[in-house]
């Protein structure tokens, strides 16, 4: 069974930093592209970032470009999101998701999410 | 305002059919990019419902179907059941600016 478990969320002050982690199991992590999607309280889904299976290709939404860094550790089946210069607009539940093996930009399995709250 | 436009809400009685639209433009759906649909219950993660316009992942009932035409797509749910009450999101890819995955604003389905 595919499992994705996010951690690292919490309360952070504006301008602060946070690092999210996503532990993957139940599939060959190194073979899959991965992504982060967030959802502000009471709002819709917003794509954040993507990383290829090897980590050689990385993309970001314009809203986080230059502030967030996605990375992965295939040896430890883990995905990360380093978030810097956080503002209230970054408050959201952050989901890691697996990209479908044959369909680009299809997110076929999601974690339960971790809440990031940016507030003073 | 979302790049893909969905109605904020739809409703239907048990057993009926409902359709949720997803209107895009020439830079996303109209450019030929596939549309995918997700179902989300309150307090839970989204679940892939339809991918590549009309394909169902294993385990998704055939009451759920998707279609795409021109710059828009639709999700149809037939034989509506109480457990279908959820939020539904469409998703595609947009070529504007540096390119990006885009979601619709979401549609709340209420089963009357």
């Amino acid at each position: 069974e595919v499992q994705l478990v996010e951690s690292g969320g919490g309360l952070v002050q504006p301008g602060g930093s946070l690092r999210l982690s996503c532990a993957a199991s139940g599939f060959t992590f190194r073979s899959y592209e991965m992504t982060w999607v967030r959802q502000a309280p009471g709002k819709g889904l917003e794509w954040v970032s993507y990383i290829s299976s090897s980590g050689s290709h990385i993309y970001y939404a314009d809203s986080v470009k230059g502030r967030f860094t996605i990375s992965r550790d295939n040896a430890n089946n883990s995905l990360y999101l380093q978030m810097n210069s956080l503002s209230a607009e970054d408050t959201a539940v952050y989901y890691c998701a697996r990209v479908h093996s044959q369909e680009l930009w299809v997110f076929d399995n999601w974690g339960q999410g971790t809440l990031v709250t940016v507030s003073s | 305002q979302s790049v893909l436009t969905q109605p904020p809400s739809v409703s239907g009685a048990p057993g009926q059919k409902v359709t949720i639209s997803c209107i895009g433009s020439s830079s996303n759906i109209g450019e030929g990019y596939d549309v995918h649909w997700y179902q989300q219950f309150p307090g839970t993660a989204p679940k892939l419902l339809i991918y590549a316009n009309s394909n169902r992942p294993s385990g998704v009932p055939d009451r759920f179907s998707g279609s795409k035409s021109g710059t828009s797509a639709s999700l149809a749910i037939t034989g509506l059941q109480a457990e279908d009450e959820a939020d539904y999101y469409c998703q595609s890819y947009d070529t504007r600016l540096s390119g990006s995955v885009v979601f619709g604003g979401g549609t709340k389905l209420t089963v009357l």
Side-chain angles (χ1 to χ4, degrees):
Chain A
E1 179 194 3
V2 173
Q3 279 204 318
L4 298 168
V5 180
E6 301 93 337
S7 61
L11 176 63
V12 60
Q13 291 190 337
S17 299
L18 212 55
R19 188 195 197 206
L20 305 184
S21 300
C22 172
S25 61
F27 65 102
T28 306
F29 180 73
R30 66 179 180 273
S31 298
Y32 283 83
E33 302 154 356
M34 298 293 295
T35 195
W36 288 96
V37 176
R38 68 184 181 183
Q39 186 170 34
K43 302 296 185 182
L45 302 171
E46 180 189 16
W47 172 75
V48 172
S49 185
Y50 155 98
I51 186 167
S52 63
S53 56
S54 67
S56 60
H57 293 88
I58 286 173
Y59 305 108
Y60 298 99
D62 287 344
S63 58
V64 307
K65 201 172 293 183
R67 301 187 300 120
F68 289 13
T69 301
I70 191 172
S71 62
R72 64 190 296 160
D73 181 348
N74 286 342
N76 289 298
N77 296 333
S78 294
L79 176 72
Y80 305 102
L81 186 68
Q82 176 67 42
M83 305 185 296
N84 300 329
S85 302
L86 287 163
S87 69
E89 288 68 41
D90 298 313
T91 294
V93 173
Y94 285 73
Y95 296 101
C96 70
R98 190 182 77 169
V99 178
H100 194 286
S101 62
Q102 297 173 348
E103 298 283 346
L104 188 57
W105 305 125
V106 176
F107 309 145
D108 65 359
N109 283 273
W110 298 60
Q112 86 288 350
T114 186
L115 176 62
V116 172
T117 303
V118 184
S119 175
S120 55
Chain B
Q1 193 169 355
S2 303
V3 173
L4 303 178
T5 301
Q6 297 180 234
S9 64
V10 298
S11 63
Q16 286 189 333
K17 173 183 177 179
V18 296
T19 301
I20 299 173
S21 61
C22 176
I23 301 173
S25 67
S26 58
S27 64
N28 42 69
I29 299 174
E31 182 69 21
Y33 289 99
D34 288 337
V35 178
H36 322 296
W37 293 89
Y38 300 86
Q39 177 188 56
Q40 185 181 34
F41 297 104
T44 69
K47 168 194 167 185
L48 179 64
L49 194 65
I50 296 286
Y51 68 95
N53 308 316
S54 58
N55 296 280
R56 285 185 307 275
S58 68
V60 174
D62 59 6
R63 302 186 297 103
F64 295 89
S65 64
S67 63
K68 171 190 161 184
S69 177
T71 58
S72 66
S74 292
L75 172 70
I77 309 172
T78 59
L80 206 57
Q81 299 180 4
E83 56 261 38
D84 297 332
E85 186 162 294
D87 293 324
Y88 294 84
Y89 293 89
C90 63
Q91 177 229 317
S92 186
Y93 186 86
D94 193 282
T95 58
R96 292 180 304 172
L97 302 176
S98 51
S100 176
V101 172
V102 290
F103 287 95
T107 298
K108 169 66 177 177
L109 168 62
T110 300
V111 180
L112 302 170

